[in-house]
Amino acid sequence: MTTLQLTEQILKKKSFLCIGLDVDLDKIPQHLLKDEDPIFAFNKAIIDTTHHLCVAYKPNIAFYEAYGIKGWKALQKTINYINENHPEIFTIADAKRGDIGNTSKMYAKAFFEDLNFDSITVAPYMGKDSVEPFLSFQGKHTILLTLTSNPGALDFQVQKIDQKAFYQQVLEISKTWSNSGNLMYVVGATQAESLSEIREIVPDSFLLIPGVGAQGGNLEDVWKYGKNSNVGLLVNSSRGIIYASSDENFAQAAKLKAKELQQQMEEMLKT
Amino acid sequence: MTTLQLTEQILKKKSFLCIGLDVDLDKIPQHLLKDEDPIFAFNKAIIDTTHHLCVAYKPNIAFYEAYGIKGWKALQKTINYINENHPEIFTIADAKRGDIGNTSKMYAKAFFEDLNFDSITVAPYMGKDSVEPFLSFQGKHTILLTLTSNPGALDFQVQKIDQKAFYQQVLEISKTWSNSGNLMYVVGATQAESLSEIREIVPDSFLLIPGVGAQGGNLEDVWKYGKNSNVGLLVNSSRGIIYASSDENFAQAAKLKAKELQQQMEEMLKT
């Protein structure tokens, strides 16, 4: 999917919502545990009730790996289900990978080819040759960790190098890499005040914004400081939507929570 | 396994060699492709001929994930085979993970509990709360990316913050985290000249040193600048050993390459 197509979907659905599919068997409704594949059953129900309200789904790969082969099968079924039934939806493997060149190439192959995700999140610490293997896939997107939503972001990401925060260096240097047009950036919603500075460095790129909801980020600030002329935002909510209820009506409860966010976004998109 | 036990194994086997199990189906001997599980068949043959020459095995998780469920099964069989037949060997999941707290906890559970690895490699970019969930597992070790062996290490890791290289900040800040005694550090063999400075900051920690062999690092320099009073080194070789031959005698060829390195290490350990 191209970023142009993504913007079209946003305008059509009046939503820039991404739903995080972070399935924890301790948190899903207990009746699903009788299912042969509870993780997929949960995801399918969420997707069926929310696909018209969001433009992206983001499975967090850790939650699948934690269940070994069973989890990996559920991930495969989930991405196939989205691709087959809702090919217009942008898919994000939230994997935060990054390794030396030949290894990053293996990860890119796993997520872009075998699983057929549209994008993957990648950590910048190992630099250019750890990210470029992902960027070389045409029609796929690499979402670089930039300024994250967790408290530990303060440990390294905001430290100053030559008057600039480290995360700003990450943005600037990443623009020099081959196929940098395939880059997007992760910026936590809890860091909304930094979005203006980020927009000066990467005015045209899409930003993936986690941290609205459970982590305390504010959607209005994200919109105010983060949007660009093509919208350029994907705002993610995970726990706030998928765990809205632990009863049998969980998928309807998730729909209502997604609808709330979609309606706020619809108002913003009018301006 | 404790670091004391690891040092005992090093002195007993006269080796601080770690063998990287980075299995690429395009590179393994063709006759193995007929096997029901070629990845495990390859690993088993390598383990059977080299286990007395090394103290650690390091499967690079990307190479398994690239083959989906088949790869994940092969990884599970490989770690189980090592743990059952050679419980004295230190195992490293080279996964380079790192995410917000609740997600890092899921990764820690996957690699430390379900797969029962002794250790995992973790990226520092997201800071304290992304690493501490790994550190909280007693008897397990978290190996933090510090100064890597690839060219992209120059992009961010050596940039100066307050007169100090960024990787030195990573070392110093990581020492303040809870259970920091469970930390080890990745330092590429191609960065041997920085090992003296690293030893000033973390005199007692184990260092995992990739990059000897295919990537051009020098074992003598690593020993000279990197060792401490408990040896404190695990030197990894992957491609140089496991792909020494692509014939049917590949496992014997791997043994000879491992033996070469082990003998150099034996000489060093005498000094």
Side-chain angles (χ1 to χ4, degrees), chain A residues 1-4 6-7 90-92 118-122 131 135 140-146 171 174 179-187 202 204-208 232-234:
Chain A
M1 186 183 288
T2 64
T3 51
L4 191 65
L6 181 55
T7 299
F90 187 73
T91 53
I92 303 168
D118 291 312
S119 67
I120 182 173
T121 57
V122 169
V131 182
L135 293 173
K140 302 289 185 179
H141 305 269
T142 304
I143 313 180
L144 201 63
L145 297 186
T146 304
L171 287 170
S174 72
N179 299 305
S180 61
N182 294 334
L183 279 169
M184 298 182 175
Y185 299 93
V186 177
V187 180
V202 288
D204 301 323
S205 305
F206 259 87
L207 306 179
L208 170 63
L233 293 173
L234 289 172

Side-chain angles (χ1 to χ4, degrees), chain A residues 151-202:
Chain A
L154 301 176
D155 283 342
F156 305 119
Q157 298 165 23
V158 300
Q159 291 214 33
K160 286 280 197 304
I161 298 174
D162 298 338
Q163 319 291 329
K164 280 179 196 156
F166 184 57
Y167 77 87
Q168 292 172 315
Q169 294 268 0
V170 168
L171 287 170
E172 287 184 358
I173 290 175
S174 72
K175 287 170 69 177
T176 68
W177 296 340
S178 300
N179 299 305
S180 61
N182 294 334
L183 279 169
M184 298 182 175
Y185 299 93
V186 177
V187 180
T190 51
Q191 314 282 358
E193 68 284 1
S194 305
L195 279 166
S196 314
E197 287 164 22
I198 289 170
R199 272 296 175 216
E200 284 181 26
I201 308 174
V202 288

Side-chain angles (χ1 to χ4, degrees), chain B residues 74 110 116 156 230:
Chain B
N116 200 16
F156 306 119
N230 298 311

Side-chain angles (χ1 to χ4, degrees), chain B residues 18-77:
Chain B
C18 172
I19 297 179
L21 300 173
D22 305 355
V23 187
D24 182 340
L25 291 181
D26 292 338
K27 287 188 185 157
I28 69 174
Q30 293 302 296
H31 73 279
L32 289 176
L33 299 179
K34 293 177 226 139
D35 197 282
E36 194 195 348
D37 186 343
I39 301 174
F40 176 68
F42 179 81
N43 282 344
K44 181 179 177 302
I46 297 284
I47 294 163
D48 287 347
T49 58
T50 61
H51 65 87
H52 58 296
L53 299 168
C54 67
V55 292
Y57 286 114
K58 178 173 78 64
N60 187 323
I61 307 305
F63 287 75
Y64 299 83
E65 278 191 2
Y67 300 111
I69 289 161
K70 193 173 67 175
W72 204 256
K73 280 186 182 164
L75 177 65
Q76 215 164 47
K77 282 166 78 176

Side-chain angles (χ1 to χ4, degrees), chain B residues 143-164:
Chain B
I143 313 181
L144 201 63
L145 296 186
T146 304
L147 184 55
T148 56
S149 57
N150 64 318
L154 300 177
D155 283 343
F156 306 119
Q157 298 166 22
V158 300
Q159 291 214 34
K160 288 279 197 300
I161 299 173
D162 298 339
Q163 319 293 329
K164 279 179 197 154

